[in-house]
Amino acid sequence: MDVATDLVQAYLRLNGYLTAAEYPLIETRQGEAPRVLTDIDLLAVRFARSDGGRDERPGRRVGGPVVDAADPALACPPGATDMLVAEVKQGKAFVNPATRDPLVLGAALARFGCCLPEESPELVRALLRRGRAQSDLGHTVRMVLFASRGERAPHGWHWVHLDHVIRFADAHLRGRRETYGSVDEREPALAWLALLEKCGFTLQHREMVWTPPAPGLERGG
């Protein structure tokens, strides 16, 4: 998987989304062999009550690696299930033509279960016009672009800079050092950030700064 897609997937999971990365769309034509037409970088869904995710009982707490409230940068619709069709670009922002193909979008949304197949054409038309739409199943569907450079997303698309994604994940890991310090991180992108922190690297503005450990002290784990 592309490293930027891996990073954004980890970020969305921290914010309570269930994700499918590099989601393939297969084209079939009569008399021809099926072929992979394209893939969508990320499809993600966050149910209306996804904050926290803990089961608390006397003397015990069980929960996943989810923030208590979604990052405001994502602009999650309050009280609604949020479905994202996301493009991820390491460099300058642009959108693949396939993501604007009504057949591709309709197939992706119907297969992911956010709308009924007969509803998808009208839902797709609304998405292409406005960048967001409401399905008959009550889901808010939004187009989101993650990229490291550029001024703005296409008309109606929501925009999140990759540097913000990195800093959010880094701050989350540092803020929960006691929790994550003794637990193996399964998300490759988060594991890499956790390793940098253990080695003494911190993020300051747009620079990576190394702080040597104090003499006589060893970093755990």
Side-chain angles (χ1 to χ4, degrees):
M1 187 192 304
D2 173 78
V3 64
T5 303
D6 187 40
L7 171 68
V8 172
Q9 177 169 247
Y11 166 74
L12 290 175
R13 288 178 176 175
L14 284 177
N15 282 282
Y17 286 84
L18 303 175
T19 64
E22 298 179 349
Y23 196 75
L25 278 304
I26 300 171
E27 182 183 41
T28 57
R29 292 176 181 264
Q30 187 173 4
E32 298 181 11
R35 68 185 183 96
V36 176
L37 179 63
T38 187
D39 61 61
I40 293 179
D41 291 343
L42 274 169
L43 293 173
V45 62
R46 183 180 191 275
F47 295 101
R49 299 184 61 84
S50 295
D51 291 331
R54 301 188 188 94
D55 181 9
E56 298 193 26
R57 302 177 187 181
R60 189 181 185 195
R61 172 187 287 184
V62 178
V66 180
V67 297
D68 293 332
D71 182 9
L74 281 167
C76 298
T81 295
D82 190 29
M83 167 78 190
L84 304 182
V85 180
E87 285 271 296
V88 183
K89 297 292 178 266
Q90 291 192 32
K92 188 174 181 179
F94 71 94
V95 175
N96 291 331
T99 312
R100 295 185 174 184
D101 184 329
L103 286 178
V104 169
L105 273 178
L109 295 177
R111 286 182 61 190
F112 204 60
C114 100
C115 68
L116 301 172
E118 58 269 24
E119 181 196 359
S120 66
E122 180 58 35
L123 188 68
V124 166
R125 282 193 289 270
L127 274 175
L128 292 176
R129 285 196 310 267
R130 303 191 299 267
R132 64 184 295 152
Q134 194 79 17
S135 79
D136 289 347
L137 298 177
H139 303 156
T140 298
V141 187
R142 300 189 293 143
M143 311 293 283
V144 182
L145 178 62
F146 295 86
S148 59
R149 299 196 312 275
E151 296 302 322
R152 61 187 177 88
H155 175 71
W157 284 54
H158 188 64
W159 164 273
V160 181
H161 279 273
L162 285 180
D163 62 344
H164 173 80
V165 171
I166 294 171
R167 292 177 193 288
F168 180 93
D170 178 68
H172 176 77
L173 290 172
R174 287 187 286 107
R176 300 195 176 185
R177 187 179 290 111
E178 293 181 359
T179 300
Y180 287 108
S182 58
V183 176
D184 289 338
E185 179 51 63
R186 301 298 181 182
E187 295 278 3
L190 297 185
W192 178 242
L193 288 174
L195 175 61
L196 290 175
E197 196 279 330
K198 289 178 181 179
C199 294
F201 289 93
T202 57
L203 293 172
Q204 295 181 9
H205 190 47
R206 292 181 179 272
E207 298 180 351
M208 185 74 74
V209 178
W210 179 66
T211 304
L217 293 180
E218 296 183 357
R219 294 177 179 266

